[in-house]
Amino acid sequence: MERVVCLIIGYVFGLFQTAVLYGKMKGVDIRSVGSKNAGTTNTLRVMGAKAGLVVLLGDMFKCIFAIIVTYFIFGRSNPDYRYFYMIYTAAGAVLGHDFPFFLKFKGGKGIACTAGYIISMGWKFVLVGLIAFFGPFNITHFVSLSSLCLYTCFFAQYVIFGQMGLLGNLPQSALNEMYVIVALLTALAFYQHRANIKKLISGTERKTYISKKNKVD
């Protein structure tokens, strides 16, 4: 029952489409310009760094807030399962972000939302996440490649920390369940970036820059 509640709460928070709402405030339908993706990267390219930062923070904090809610409902009274409830909440938030029912299930790609989850996991995950993302990004300026590196490293770190006993005093069966969910989220991230992967392979993927103007389709 706790799993379902965490998923639902996460999904509801994930429905807050920061890019769409911010774009409407500025008279821009973010889903009809650029890559037509309702996420941070497209917002950055189309509307500039300030807009990209607003969307990034909005998408991160909606996942963080969802995790806080489920922590007070379940985690505080059962601290050993805190990370267990967190992964289900984060999964719901990513699904709500990627597949909002009121937008015909067409949202973003879930990376900024996942970043909020990583922040909730603590500074060790944040440190590895920063290196995993900005290392490739500073070299290639491909957000898609950097995002997939982030997810891959997060999955690996998650399993390693779990086996080291750093994700709570949980039975192996619960840890395995959590690993499966993170693996599915990683697979979803790759699926959501399938068009980008094809462009990376063909050499046609677009680069993104934070400090200078980006080209827009």
Side-chain angles (χ1 to χ4, degrees):
M1 182 62 181
E2 291 90 346
R3 297 173 177 84
V4 175
V5 173
C6 288
L7 280 170
I8 292 174
I9 291 174
Y11 185 84
V12 170
F13 274 86
L15 292 175
F16 185 86
Q17 297 292 310
T18 314
V20 175
L21 294 173
Y22 186 84
K24 286 184 177 181
M25 288 173 56
K26 301 297 181 179
V28 177
D29 181 359
I30 197 66
R31 297 184 303 147
S32 65
V33 292
S35 66
K36 299 179 175 60
N37 181 258
T40 300
T41 303
N42 192 37
T43 304
L44 170 65
R45 289 171 177 166
V46 173
M47 302 177 66
K50 178 182 176 181
L53 178 61
V54 170
V55 173
L56 172 65
L57 292 175
D59 287 345
M60 287 194 305
F61 276 106
K62 68 186 181 185
C63 186
I64 293 172
F65 289 150
I67 287 172
I68 291 173
V69 170
T70 55
Y71 169 75
F72 279 104
I73 296 175
F74 299 118
R76 188 167 58 171
S77 59
N78 196 358
D80 283 341
Y81 275 77
R82 177 166 65 96
Y83 291 106
F84 186 83
Y85 301 134
M86 284 174 64
I87 185 58
Y88 273 97
T89 306
V94 171
L95 291 174
H97 176 79
D98 288 11
F99 308 109
F101 71 90
F102 62 92
L103 294 177
K104 299 180 180 179
F105 300 97
K106 294 180 180 180
K109 296 178 180 177
I111 302 303
C113 193
T114 300
Y117 174 45
I118 292 174
I119 291 172
S120 299
M121 292 293 292
W123 69 269
K124 293 179 181 178
F125 280 92
V126 173
L127 179 60
V128 173
L130 289 172
I131 295 172
F133 182 88
F134 284 104
F137 180 76
N138 287 333
I139 296 172
T140 67
H141 292 284
F142 293 137
V143 173
S144 55
L145 176 63
S146 304
S147 298
L148 296 177
C149 287
L150 169 67
Y151 243 115
T152 302
C153 289
F154 176 63
F155 173 56
Q157 184 183 16
Y158 199 91
V159 174
I160 292 170
F161 275 36
Q163 293 306 114
M164 291 174 62
L166 300 178
L167 297 181
N169 185 23
L170 297 170
Q172 189 62 45
S173 59
L175 287 171
N176 291 339
E177 186 175 334
M178 293 160 68
Y179 301 157
V180 169
I181 296 173
V182 178
L184 290 174
L185 289 176
T186 304
L188 175 61
F190 274 80
Y191 175 78
Q192 292 289 73
H193 285 85
R194 59 195 182 282
N196 303 92
I197 293 172
K198 291 180 180 178
K199 291 179 180 179
L200 285 168
I201 294 173
S202 65
T204 58
E205 177 69 325
R206 209 167 8 149
K207 295 185 177 183
T208 300
Y209 300 91
I210 298 174
S211 59
K212 64 181 183 179
K213 188 175 180 61
N214 292 280
K215 295 180 179 179
V216 180
D217 289 341

